[in-house]
């Protein structure tokens, strides 16, 4: 396919750019970073759609994560899988959000087990949703009302 593309480049300069982008080994897809705030215990996030879901309403179960509040320690935020089955986590304590890339995924172990540890600014969680999409979450900031964090799709 690469040689076919290269043969057709001479008459069409725009195809050159397209072929370089598609076949370049150094091409990196830009990924948007989203910032969200979830209230403790009462809001959940569907990572795939970006929808914040009211956890107090019956039947609102299409979410991936929520945050519990643990008053016995600081930071207080504990990230939990929502009720949706098939959500898996990999916890990266002390790993900066920006340092987690798609290359990081090969070294991760995912689990459905809840880990009762604080989610702080220097930690990153990697979440595989029930659709198979993989997201990273980090740069957490707590307030009395909830947790503000960044998230981005990895795969």
């Amino acid at each position: 396919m690469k040689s076919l593309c290269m043969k057709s480049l001479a008459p069409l300069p725009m195809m050159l750019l397209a072929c370089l982008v598609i076949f370049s080994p150094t091409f990196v897809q830009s990924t948007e970073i989203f910032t969200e705030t979830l209230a403790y215990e009462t809001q959940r996030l569907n990572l795939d759609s970006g929808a914040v879901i009211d956890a107090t309403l019956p039947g609102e179960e299409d979410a991936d994560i929520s945050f519990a509040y643990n008053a016995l320690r600081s930071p207080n935020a504990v990230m939990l899988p929502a009720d949706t089955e098939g959500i898996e986590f990999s916890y990266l304590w002390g790993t900066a959000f920006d340092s987690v890339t798609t290359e990081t995924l090969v070294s991760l172990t995912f689990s459905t087990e809840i880990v009762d540890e604080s989610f702080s600014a220097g930690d990153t969680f990697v979440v595989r949703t029930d659709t198979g999409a993989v997201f990273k979450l980090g740069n957490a900031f707590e307030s009395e009302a909830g947790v503000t964090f960044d998230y981005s799709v990895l795969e």
Side-chain angles (χ1 to χ4, degrees):
M1 174 110 179
K2 192 171 186 178
S3 62
L4 175 64
C5 187
M6 296 303 279
K7 288 179 184 177
S8 65
L9 289 178
L12 302 169
M14 291 305 288
M15 284 189 66
L16 172 62
L17 179 59
C19 288
L20 288 174
V21 169
I22 292 169
F23 295 110
S24 172
T26 58
F27 174 68
V28 177
Q29 213 173 1
S30 66
T31 303
E32 190 171 355
I33 296 173
F34 302 95
T35 301
E36 190 61 71
T37 301
L38 293 181
Y40 293 113
E41 318 282 341
T42 61
Q43 290 184 321
R44 298 175 181 165
L45 178 64
N46 181 313
L47 291 164
D48 297 309
S49 68
V52 174
I53 298 166
D54 185 341
T56 64
L57 296 177
E60 295 296 327
E61 297 174 3
D62 188 28
D64 300 307
I65 64 161
S66 64
F67 287 96
Y69 182 88
N70 186 332
L72 300 177
R73 63 170 174 251
S74 181
N76 309 106
V78 177
M79 188 165 63
L80 303 172
D83 293 335
T84 307
E85 290 193 24
I87 308 301
E88 297 178 305
F89 292 95
S90 188
Y91 302 90
L92 304 171
W93 287 280
T95 303
F97 178 81
D98 292 336
S99 70
V100 178
T101 65
T102 54
E103 288 78 26
T104 309
L105 295 177
V106 296
S107 65
L108 299 181
T109 301
F110 287 87
S111 174
T112 57
E113 298 296 315
I114 296 171
V115 177
D116 186 13
E117 294 289 336
S118 297
F119 182 35
S120 64
D123 302 328
T124 301
F125 283 90
V126 178
V127 179
R128 182 179 294 131
T129 68
D130 59 335
T131 66
V134 180
F135 293 84
K136 64 178 179 176
L137 293 80
N139 300 327
F141 173 78
E142 286 188 331
S143 67
E144 288 185 26
V147 181
T148 300
F149 59 95
D150 293 332
Y151 72 99
S152 178
V153 66
L154 285 173
E155 178 174 276

